[in-house]
Amino acid sequence: MNHAIRRATELALDETTTTALRATVKGTADEVVQAIIDEVPSYANALSGRMGGTIRRAVRTALGHYLDLASGNATGGDAGDAAYELGRGEVRDGRSMDALLSAYRVGARVAWRCLAAGAVPAGLPAAEVAKFAELTFAYIDELSAASAAGHADELAAQGRAHERHLEQLVRDLLAGASPDVLRAAAQRAGWQPPVTLTAVLLPAAQARPACRVLDPGTLVLDDLPDALGVLLVPDADRSHLLRKLTGRTAVVGPARPWTRASASYARAVRARSLPSDVRDTEDHLPELVLSADADAFADLRARALAPLRTLPAATARRLEETLRAWLLHHGRRNEMAAALFVHPQTVRYRMSQLRDVFPDLGSPHRVLELTLAIGLRVG
């Protein structure tokens, strides 16, 4: 209010004029509110009923404070604080600053017309009328500025709160929280749950740039261990998603119901630990299955191939390669020979050796163990 206060010191309305103007405050407030209702669409329904009465009282208070200021009896602090809180409240009521500024402009025009109509008959000299006008509009400008500051601060505060709620939602999703916890977290964040979520694991520095080119409902967290970030993409078209991530070091998990997004995230994390570079986890399901319990796989492999360990290393290696070809080509000798770059007779000889080492080679259980141990071997 410093500018308005400086203007007030140049004016200092006399007691007669101030008394006359105070008598018009109630009527002026009513006219201001009615004009705002008529001219600013955002307030057409907002200023009716109890709310209308509250606003009228607030306008009367502001006008009374203005007259205190004009007569040299106020500092302006209370009005500025009230205007600041008004700006904050407008955000909570869902109105833009443009609507509030329009209301201030309308209010300033009507208030000046009414106050001038009371000041001139009260004997305010013509030379003082211009100063009175300057004070009126300086006062409104500074109220507007205080409201704009409150509006901006409330938007920023709500934005930070929204970001915190979204971040907590992502953490709950990754942790596999219960559906009830997740639904409550989504509601707090104002986030509409999709049918599915697809986790995308990528370097933290790439997370937010990648998020900007994906669905607006995509959730992001960029402070995971190992400088990683994660995106949770709603109802993703997988081929489209993969194209959007071209050029980024991303691992894309499977689509899962949104309350089970943790399963998609866990698979992407596992895929990242595979020896080969993985982009789409759907292309590496065998490796992921076999790497789910590395110790169990190592034990299975050791037991299934134990008979080969009794042979010289070079022989064991050749027979293991032949056994893998036998499993992958379903025993078709010519295809095995082509895969091994040997003569079919060599394949026949090696298979004879394998049957000596594995007497039950044809049994379903033995085939299953060897298939897991060799045919789909990771690495």
Side-chain angles (χ1 to χ4, degrees):
M1 289 288 162
N2 291 336
H3 183 61
I5 292 170
R6 286 196 298 273
R7 293 287 183 188
T9 61
E10 299 172 7
L11 178 64
L13 294 177
D14 60 54
E15 186 175 347
T16 300
T17 303
T18 303
T19 300
L21 291 176
R22 287 192 190 283
T24 69
V25 164
K26 182 178 183 302
T28 299
D30 290 343
E31 285 197 44
V32 166
V33 171
Q34 188 59 51
I36 291 172
I37 292 173
D38 292 342
E39 298 183 35
V40 185
S42 296
Y43 292 94
N45 299 316
L47 302 184
S48 60
R50 181 181 299 177
M51 178 59 71
T54 300
I55 295 298
R56 283 177 175 83
R57 286 191 296 274
V59 172
R60 286 199 297 271
T61 300
L63 288 170
H65 184 274
Y66 164 71
L67 293 176
D68 289 341
L69 188 65
S71 62
N73 296 320
T75 63
D78 291 343
D81 292 345
Y84 178 87
E85 290 303 321
L86 175 61
R88 294 185 62 201
E90 290 297 276
V91 174
R92 292 191 287 269
D93 289 340
R95 283 185 289 273
S96 70
M97 192 59 210
D98 287 343
L100 184 54
L101 290 177
S102 295
Y104 271 123
R105 286 192 292 272
V106 170
R109 188 189 73 238
V110 173
W112 166 243
R113 185 185 70 231
C114 293
L115 291 171
V120 173
L124 186 68
E128 297 296 296
V129 171
K131 293 180 182 179
F132 189 34
E134 289 181 10
L135 173 62
T136 301
F137 290 101
Y139 182 74
I140 295 296
D141 282 348
E142 294 188 23
L143 289 182
S144 299
S147 289
H151 197 277
D153 288 350
E154 183 65 18
L155 279 177
Q158 288 193 6
R160 289 190 296 272
H162 184 239
E163 286 297 319
R164 287 196 298 272
H165 289 319
L166 285 175
E167 180 180 313
Q168 187 57 52
L169 171 60
V170 178
R171 295 189 190 282
D172 289 342
L173 285 164
L174 299 185
S178 70
D180 287 344
V181 169
L182 294 177
R183 280 190 285 269
Q187 186 172 14
R188 280 194 301 273
W191 181 78
Q192 181 61 44
V195 176
T196 67
L197 284 172
T198 299
V200 178
L201 198 63
L202 69 178
Q206 296 183 21
R208 293 192 184 275
C211 185
R212 286 195 288 270
V213 303
L214 299 177
D215 186 288
T218 297
L219 299 173
V220 59
L221 192 63
D222 60 1
D223 63 352
L224 297 176
D226 300 324
L228 291 175
V230 66
L231 306 177
L232 297 177
V233 186
D235 297 329
D237 177 314
R238 196 170 193 84
S239 59
H240 178 72
L241 174 60
L242 289 164
R243 285 196 301 273
K244 285 285 188 180
L245 294 171
T246 299
R248 303 186 187 276
T249 311
V251 179
V252 182
R256 287 291 178 265
W258 78 274
T259 55
R260 294 188 56 240
S262 58
S264 181
Y265 170 65
R267 182 173 295 179
V269 171
R270 285 204 310 274
R272 191 171 175 273
S273 67
L274 291 178
S276 55
D277 290 333
V278 177
R279 173 173 166 79
D280 183 355
T281 56
E282 297 296 281
D283 292 338
H284 297 266
L285 291 178
E287 295 96 323
L288 286 164
V289 169
L290 294 177
S291 65
D293 186 337
D295 286 344
F297 176 67
D299 290 344
L300 171 66
R301 181 170 164 78
R303 184 179 71 186
L305 301 181
L308 293 179
R309 304 302 173 235
T310 63
L311 303 175
T315 302
R317 187 167 54 253
R318 284 195 301 272
L319 290 183
E320 184 175 336
E321 290 173 354
T322 303
L323 185 55
R324 182 178 301 107
W326 179 73
L327 291 165
L328 295 177
H329 296 284
H330 304 285
R332 292 188 288 270
R333 190 182 305 168
N334 289 338
E335 292 180 20
M336 291 171 60
L340 294 168
F341 301 101
V342 297
H343 194 277
Q345 280 298 111
T346 302
V347 170
R348 183 176 183 178
Y349 170 70
R350 290 185 186 177
M351 288 305 304
S352 176
Q353 289 180 289
L354 282 169
R355 288 190 175 88
D356 289 339
V357 175
F358 296 100
D360 58 347
L361 186 59
S363 74
H365 183 73
R366 174 62 74 180
V367 169
L368 174 62
E369 283 202 346
L370 290 172
T371 298
L372 293 173
I374 293 182
L376 300 177
R377 175 161 72 95
V378 182

